Amino acid sequence: MQVNWREIPAARNSFAVLGAACEKTGWHLYPVARPAPDITCYSLNSINERLYRDEIADADCITIVGGPHATACWPEVAVYADYVVVGEGEYTLPRLLSEIEAGRDGHIPGVVTRDWYEPAKSSVRLDAYPAFSLVKGYVEISRGCPFACGYCQTPQIFGHCMRHRSIDEIARYANRYGQARFVTPNAFAYGSDGLHPRFDKIGHLLRKLDHEIFFGTFPSEVRPEFICEESLALITDYCTNTKLHFGAQSGSDAILSRLHRGHTIAEAIRAAELCLDTGITPIVDFIVGFPYETDEEQRETVAAIQEVARMGKIHVHRFIPLPGTPLAGTRARSLLSETEKVCGDLALGGKLTGSWNEPEIRFFRRYLK
């Protein structure tokens, strides 16, 4: 039985992770540019799902769909896919493949069919699975997030309790290549409960790595309240990156409170100042157009964007109501003319990136070329 993996740019790291997990039980995932027999697996997010829905429905093979969108909207996905993997796939996907090969119905925890579903009974222990194998990926060092930001799918998929890969296992994979980059919702939360940093453990980790280290930058980030002299010293002492990526998200404390962000705009501004004082460029995320954002609250965000832009760079995008989040089903509000002007002027000056008018442009541009 041949098992294929549908190549999708946004799912490359999922391919690395799940391909490695499947190899442990003797399954090899073959990359394909279109569905092919016997089985084709997909990992979809809530932005690109519409591009592959018809392809999956019309596929002349067995289809298995997972990823953030499948986890949030499994009843919808089960209409056009043969099997839907809900949540983490390292244990579930290889087990499902064995069920299919044996001619059974695939009724196992964590899998949805058109007439059956039972949630998974446990979470994945990261050390039980390789970070990657034949397909190179980023090293995922942590999963889960104790916060409940209204727009974010992460805690809905991976839970509110943080789980960490051990230092030795991280070093085992990170030291295979000249650069070490990591996947984590908050790099400065490594080894902790996600609320109270353990910088001693981060220092221990960084000292175990042999090559260029990029920590707290793409494809991960940090939280602003975790940025302090001690955490920045870890970057300057051990890491190659001269930038640090973190989210402010709004310039309004009222909006941040409603989002359950767990920090204030003053903490985000202070984080940017500390980065600047240390010689690190802050790259700060903002979201505009929250559904309950007033004109004055949007103006507060614009003022914060302008202030931070004097110290570093801004990444801004229009609010997207992702399925499975507290703000699912809402709509982005319109932007003020001054918001569009400030973002446009800063973008022309090289201080701002993102898409603040049509949020899907930045996601679809790569697919529609």
Side-chain angles (χ1 to χ4, degrees):
M1 184 176 76
Q2 179 161 318
V3 184
N4 307 294
W5 178 272
R6 178 61 162 91
E7 291 186 296
I8 297 172
R12 180 168 177 80
N13 213 64
S14 296
F15 182 24
V17 170
L18 293 176
C22 286
E23 287 171 28
K24 284 193 63 175
T25 52
W27 296 105
H28 178 75
L29 304 185
Y30 295 88
V32 294
R34 59 188 61 82
D38 298 301
I39 297 174
T40 302
C41 303
Y42 292 75
S43 179
L44 303 180
N45 63 43
S46 296
I47 304 299
N48 64 26
E49 179 267 345
R50 71 180 68 175
L51 297 176
Y52 300 97
R53 186 187 307 156
D54 290 343
E55 175 183 299
I56 296 167
D58 296 337
D60 189 22
C61 64
I62 295 170
T63 54
I64 300 174
V65 180
H69 187 80
T71 296
C73 300
W74 58 263
E76 168 194 316
V77 178
V79 171
Y80 59 82
D82 294 308
Y83 300 94
V84 182
V85 174
V86 177
E88 300 170 302
E90 285 94 335
Y91 175 72
T92 307
L93 179 57
R95 184 179 176 190
L96 175 58
L97 295 176
S98 296
E99 287 280 311
I100 295 171
E101 185 181 48
R104 294 189 284 267
D105 55 19
H107 289 180
I108 60 174
V111 172
V112 179
T113 65
R114 289 178 177 85
D115 59 357
W116 191 88
Y117 174 49
E118 180 181 330
K121 292 180 169 62
S122 62
S123 298
V124 164
R125 184 171 63 88
L126 292 180
D127 271 4
Y129 296 93
F132 54 81
S133 181
L134 296 177
V135 178
K136 179 187 176 184
Y138 303 117
V139 182
E140 187 175 17
I141 63 174
S142 304
R143 276 189 193 172
C145 179
F147 297 92
C149 301
Y151 54 84
C152 183
Q153 289 178 319
T154 296
Q156 314 304 324
I157 299 171
F158 299 122
H160 294 274
C161 293
M162 293 203 76
R163 292 163 280 151
H164 307 283
R165 198 181 300 272
S166 68
I167 289 173
D168 286 343
E169 282 296 292
I170 293 170
R172 176 185 172 192
Y173 291 96
N175 288 336
R176 292 185 184 183
Y177 297 96
Q179 290 186 354
R181 295 181 184 268
F182 308 99
V183 173
T184 169
N186 177 10
F188 284 155
Y190 176 75
S192 76
D193 60 2
L195 298 170
H196 309 93
R198 290 293 308 272
F199 297 133
D200 57 325
K201 291 190 176 182
I202 296 172
H204 185 191
L205 166 63
L206 297 178
R207 286 189 289 272
K208 291 278 285 189
L209 305 180
D210 295 335
H211 305 299
E212 291 186 333
I213 304 169
F214 291 82
F215 199 77
T217 187
F218 180 83
S220 64
E221 59 178 27
V222 300
R223 286 181 57 88
E225 72 273 27
F226 280 64
I227 296 175
C228 60
E229 291 182 359
E230 187 175 359
S231 60
L232 290 173
L234 291 169
I235 301 299
T236 56
D237 289 349
Y238 298 105
C239 300
T240 302
N241 52 291
T242 57
K243 301 176 181 178
L244 202 61
H245 197 150
F246 66 91
Q249 311 309 2
S250 176
S252 163
D253 281 331
I255 294 294
L256 291 172
S257 178
R258 291 189 69 175
L259 291 172
H260 302 289
R261 273 293 292 172
H263 65 79
T264 65
I265 185 58
E267 288 176 301
I269 298 295
R270 178 57 178 157
E273 292 172 342
L274 286 170
C275 288
L276 188 66
D277 291 344
T278 312
I280 294 173
T281 301
I283 311 295
V284 187
D285 285 340
F286 284 91
I287 301 172
V288 291
F290 286 110
Y292 41 63
E293 184 180 68
T294 67
D295 287 359
E296 185 54 37
E297 287 164 345
Q298 193 173 118
R299 290 189 179 101
E300 289 178 314
T301 294
V302 171
I305 287 173
Q306 291 174 306
E307 184 172 359
V308 174
R310 288 190 282 271
M311 295 180 274
K313 293 191 175 182
I314 306 297
H315 182 77
V316 64
H317 68 268
R318 186 85 167 270
F319 165 72
I320 302 173
L322 296 174
T325 68
L327 290 177
T330 63
R331 296 186 64 181
R333 63 148 288 176
S334 59
L335 300 188
L336 301 171
S337 58
E338 57 255 49
T339 302
E340 295 181 337
K341 183 178 188 307
V342 167
C343 289
D345 289 347
L346 289 172
L348 287 173
K351 299 291 288 184
L352 183 148
T353 60
S355 176
W356 52 94
N357 284 317
E358 297 294 335
E360 293 178 349
I361 289 175
R362 67 193 178 104
F363 294 100
F364 281 121
R365 184 179 293 129
R366 73 183 67 140
Y367 299 111
L368 299 179
K369 287 182 179 179

